[in-house]
Amino acid sequence: GEIDWPRRFRHMQRHTAQHLLSQALLRAGGYHTVAVSLDSPVCTVDLEEEAEEAGVLEAEALANFAVYADYPVEAFYVSEEELARYPLRRPPKVRGKVRLVRIGDFDLAACGGTHLKTSAQAGPIKVLKWERYKGGTRVYFMAGWEALEDYHAKHALLARLALAFSTNPLELEKPIRKLQDELYALKGENQALREGLAEALLPRALEEKALLVPLPVLGELGKRLARFEGTFLLVAPEGRFVAVGPRRGEVLERLKALGGRGGGKEAVQGALPPGRAVEALATEIGDGPALGIGGPWAEGGKLYNAYFILRAGRIEAKMLKHHLPNEDVFDEVRIFDVGPISGPYRIGPLRLGPPV
């Protein structure tokens, strides 16, 4: 076998840094280490006591002072009987001959692990955060090359964000907070618009029972319809659907025949396979009067703005919009593909020509 030295050295940096930090925590706040985890670049030290911010920050500084002091690190063995002569940071967990690791006159502890030659090789030591844990405190830290790599990654991220916001990296909080405030305001406006659109669509949904609606108002309109008698189906062009009312279970079974999936108690919610939303509405209309509706239609890898005639439980006719306006509030050219010029279609004895 062969030792992976770069990996071994990083593990040694973690271990020696943990000894320094544990001793620093004991000196700064009287915090006793009860457990450690060094399995990943982000290491942890578990303390018996609830640590305060001032104590943790002082311990971080003290640990790095020990790094700069360049203390020699030495390991040696003593008998169990000799242990009383040594001021150990914590009692050993083994008996018989005990291995001790001493870092200058800064720390002395029983340990069987691998360590560096000097404390300077463990730096820098950076505490990332701390939190309450099992009645005590868990402290997260990084050390050595891994701490430096973490700094590089975070510095690069801050530099990119500062460039994007045209500010200094240490002043990023202000534009980000402003962006958050704007986002919260827009969310409020968006919610108000959804509620307004749902209210506007309510009379039509009550009359038609089955309706193709924009996805953002699907749930909002469904909640309103649930307060009325009758069974209603709302379908979004993307295939999402909501059914409310006493016969919602029957509606779901018909949608399952089209490949739909869903469920629920007070309201049935789910999704249809792509392109089946309009068929679902046609199924619900059944033998009622013919209905013309507009909506997106995907076909042959293209997306069209389409107009449908639904009759007798099926799509009687489908026209793909040819003229796509691109002025004032319209921008259909950016979204939809141009459809072919459509010919006339029939509804019973009538032969009609669509103006799309």
Side-chain angles (χ1 to χ4, degrees):
E2 185 177 344
I3 294 175
D4 183 347
W5 178 246
R7 178 176 179 273
R8 168 66 65 84
F9 188 74
R10 288 168 181 256
H11 282 228
M12 292 161 66
Q13 286 185 310
R14 296 176 197 173
H15 202 162
T16 301
Q18 177 265 306
H19 277 229
L20 294 172
L21 185 58
S22 288
Q23 178 62 244
L25 286 162
L26 182 61
R27 294 190 183 195
Y31 306 135
H32 297 81
T33 297
V34 293
V36 300
S37 175
L38 308 174
D39 296 334
S40 68
V42 177
C43 305
T44 61
V45 172
D46 293 345
L47 306 176
E48 184 177 2
E49 300 82 8
E50 290 191 5
E52 299 296 330
E53 179 179 7
V56 175
L57 295 181
E58 183 181 343
E60 180 186 57
L62 185 57
N64 281 287
F65 283 137
V67 167
Y68 303 143
D70 195 21
Y71 292 122
V73 179
E74 57 178 323
F76 57 96
Y77 289 88
V78 298
S79 65
E80 188 175 350
E81 293 74 22
E82 296 176 286
L83 284 175
R85 296 165 43 196
Y86 296 91
L88 301 180
R89 174 165 37 88
R90 63 176 183 176
K93 297 180 180 180
V94 296
R95 302 184 65 114
K97 215 168 186 61
V98 181
R99 183 174 183 263
L100 303 183
V101 173
R102 177 162 49 205
I103 305 177
D105 59 1
F106 186 77
D107 183 61
L108 179 62
C111 180
T114 55
H115 284 274
L116 302 165
K117 289 184 178 180
T118 71
S119 62
Q121 294 177 317
I125 300 173
K126 184 71 188 81
V127 172
L128 303 178
K129 65 174 184 176
W130 58 94
E131 61 190 14
R132 296 288 180 260
Y133 181 74
K134 293 185 176 179
T137 307
R138 171 164 285 182
V139 179
Y140 297 79
F141 75 95
M142 298 185 76
W145 284 116
E146 291 166 339
L148 189 61
E149 289 164 356
D150 182 66
Y151 172 83
H152 283 324
K154 290 173 179 175
H155 179 76
L157 174 61
L158 280 175
R160 292 195 300 271
L161 289 173
L163 183 63
F165 282 99
S166 301
T167 189
N168 185 287
L170 297 181
E171 297 175 356
L172 272 168
E173 282 183 295
K174 185 176 179 180
I176 289 176
R177 190 175 294 113
K178 180 182 177 183
L179 189 64
Q180 286 178 323
D181 292 341
E182 293 173 352
L183 177 62
Y184 294 147
L186 287 173
K187 283 184 175 180
E189 293 176 14
N190 183 265
Q191 178 62 26
L193 289 171
R194 286 203 305 267
E195 292 175 357
L197 182 56
E199 197 64 33
L201 290 172
L202 183 59
R204 185 175 168 191
L206 289 170
E207 179 182 355
E208 297 182 11
K209 306 295 184 184
L211 191 65
L212 187 69
V213 301
L215 181 60
V217 301
L218 193 67
E220 201 72 45
L221 185 53
K223 292 177 184 177
R224 284 168 165 75
L225 289 171
R227 300 196 295 262
F228 294 87
E229 294 184 2
T231 299
F232 305 92
L233 171 65
L234 302 174
V235 182
E238 294 84 353
R240 301 291 303 178
F241 65 82
V242 171
V244 296
R247 301 178 66 182
R248 58 189 178 277
E250 299 174 22
V251 174
L252 178 60
E253 292 304 313
R254 290 194 289 271
L255 295 179
K256 285 182 178 180
L258 298 175
R261 293 184 177 182
K265 293 183 179 181
E266 296 182 2
V268 169
Q269 302 182 57
L272 291 156
R276 306 304 292 270
V278 178
E279 291 180 63
L281 290 177
T283 300
E284 286 306 297
I285 290 171
D287 296 328
L291 176 67
I293 64 170
W297 181 264
E299 183 178 306
K302 295 183 177 182
L303 182 65
Y304 300 99
N305 192 359
Y307 185 70
F308 307 92
I309 302 298
L310 311 181
R311 180 170 176 267
R314 64 188 182 89
I315 300 176
E316 183 82 3
K318 176 182 77 218
M319 285 68 68
L320 307 179
K321 194 170 182 179
H322 176 73
H323 174 62
L324 302 176
N326 190 37
E327 61 271 348
D328 295 330
V329 298
F330 297 99
D331 192 13
E332 294 191 34
V333 173
R334 184 173 60 89
I335 301 172
F336 298 107
D337 292 289
V338 176
I341 298 176
S342 301
Y345 59 91
R346 287 187 176 276
I347 300 180
L350 301 177
R351 193 163 182 263
L352 306 173
V356 296

